[in-house]
Amino acid sequence: MAANNNHPQMLKLLLDCKADKHATNQADLTALDVAQQHNDKESISMLRGCFIPKVSTFNYKLKKQMGKYVRKASWVFFQDIDHISGDDRNALLVILGLLLSSTYQATLSPPGGLSQDGASSGQSVLKERVFLEFYIMTYVVFTIAFFLTLALLKQFPDGFRTALEVLLAFFAICFNGSIEVIAPSVLTAVIIDIFSGVFFLLMVFMSITYEVSKLSVAIMGCSFLPVGPFPPYGVLSGLFFSLILFDEFWKGTGLILVFNLLHCLNALVDPSHLNSQYTVIITAFWFFFHLCRICIKRFIKCCNTFVN
């Protein structure tokens, strides 16, 4: 309707609100097709969004297809969760809260206690096989309870839900870190890392289906990125922030500053962890990425104006 009535300001508002510019009407025409029929150059330039329309269409189809398969997989697990009554939802949240707290308690008070001998001090006294049998099942219970909780939060207001998702992300990071700390060997720690990687991928999939905020996914990803003394780690971190929060500049900037602050505070406790290059590279990569985005947008706008 906005394209048909030549209202470019309304088009801009709709696009800023993430309206689907590839949607079609009953005549199977997109907003761009309608604008081209009226030869409204300003609307055409705004709706193209990319100097090469085929590239824009390919990106749209790729995202749509990926989201389609992820939503199908999500529907298998959460098909009836939107139809739960308010009382049942509250009861389930209480039960899931108990499961989360009890599984986390198992990492604070492991069976058999912790070793107090020299190099193995603070590690579980359980043998590798017994440790993995116990904590893999604990991790599975925690994972299922965690994602069911996220699914039940879908009906909450956006701001309140995002705050809870961020808190749950920190809770999951603490849970994973607790198991890694008490792992009796390197092998058990690696196996737990594999589970944490699967856990993180599930969070990414849920963000694709808009079940969870990208901010909580980015926070959780920080704990799974390798932190070391070499510059490539900083590049990986900056790339990760760019991919997850590429369209949320201020949230990404705030998260990077907090992440770097925590890194500096950790260096105060253990000076051997101090590496200024690490924090500088992450921040520089983030701002360079957005500078490139601004330049590309300006270039596309100029090209579209020239073509029209």
Side-chain angles (χ1 to χ4, degrees), residues 1-16:
M1 291 176 64
N4 188 54
N5 294 298
N6 296 333
H7 289 159
Q9 292 182 345
M10 179 58 70
L11 282 174
K12 184 177 185 304
L13 178 62
L14 290 168
L15 292 174
D16 290 341

Side-chain angles (χ1 to χ4, degrees), residues 81 84-101 145-156 160 164 168:
I81 208 159
I84 298 175
S85 65
D87 292 338
D88 291 341
R89 184 181 298 273
N90 293 334
L92 281 173
L93 284 173
V94 172
I95 295 172
L96 293 172
L98 290 173
L99 286 173
L100 290 174
S101 60
F146 183 88
F147 285 104
L148 285 175
T149 303
L150 290 178
L152 288 171
L153 294 177
K154 186 178 178 180
Q155 302 297 327
F156 284 52
F160 189 64
L164 289 176
L168 285 171

Side-chain angles (χ1 to χ4, degrees), residues 200-221:
F200 175 64
L201 285 177
L202 291 174
M203 282 289 288
V204 173
F205 289 150
M206 286 197 75
S207 71
I208 294 175
T209 60
Y210 308 107
E211 299 285 348
V212 298
S213 66
K214 290 187 290 185
L215 181 61
S216 61
V217 177
I219 289 173
M220 189 170 292

Side-chain angles (χ1 to χ4, degrees), residues 13 32 44 83 138 148 157 190 194 208 241 244 263 287-288:
L13 178 62
L32 178 59
I44 292 172
H83 305 294
T138 302
L148 285 175
V190 170
I194 293 174
I208 294 175
F241 284 117
I244 298 295
H263 182 70
F287 285 108
F288 177 74

Side-chain angles (χ1 to χ4, degrees), residues 132 136 186-196:
L132 289 175
I136 285 177
V186 175
L187 176 62
T188 53
V190 170
I191 293 175
I192 295 301
D193 284 338
I194 293 174
F195 274 84
S196 65

Side-chain angles (χ1 to χ4, degrees), residues 8-138:
Q9 292 182 345
M10 179 58 70
L11 282 174
K12 184 177 185 304
L13 178 62
L14 290 168
L15 292 174
D16 290 341
C17 294
K18 310 298 182 184
D20 184 7
K21 65 180 180 180
H22 297 275
T24 57
N25 58 12
Q26 293 180 347
D28 201 30
L29 297 175
T30 64
L32 178 59
D33 296 330
V34 174
Q36 288 174 337
Q37 287 181 347
H38 293 277
N39 196 27
D40 183 9
K41 294 183 179 181
E42 187 176 359
S43 297
I44 292 172
S45 176
M46 193 176 302
L47 287 165
R48 273 180 176 169
C50 181
F51 183 58
I52 307 175
K54 290 185 177 180
V55 174
S56 177
T57 304
F58 174 77
N59 290 335
Y60 167 75
K61 289 182 177 179
L62 179 63
K63 291 180 181 179
K64 186 177 181 180
Q65 198 69 16
M66 183 184 298
K68 178 181 176 182
Y69 288 121
V70 173
R71 285 187 180 90
K72 282 185 177 180
S74 177
W75 181 83
V76 173
F77 298 100
F78 307 121
Q79 52 182 321
D80 295 324
I81 208 159
D82 292 333
H83 305 294
I84 298 175
S85 65
D87 292 338
D88 291 341
R89 184 181 298 273
N90 293 334
L92 281 173
L93 284 173
V94 172
I95 295 172
L96 293 172
L98 290 173
L99 286 173
L100 290 174
S101 60
S102 59
T103 50
Y104 186 74
Q105 185 62 33
T107 66
L108 300 179
S109 302
L114 301 175
S115 174
Q116 305 295 328
D117 300 329
S120 62
S121 179
Q123 297 177 346
S124 174
V125 298
L126 296 176
K127 295 181 179 179
E128 289 184 357
R129 181 181 62 81
V130 179
F131 180 88
L132 289 175
E133 288 178 352
F134 180 80
Y135 280 103
I136 285 177
M137 289 188 290
T138 302

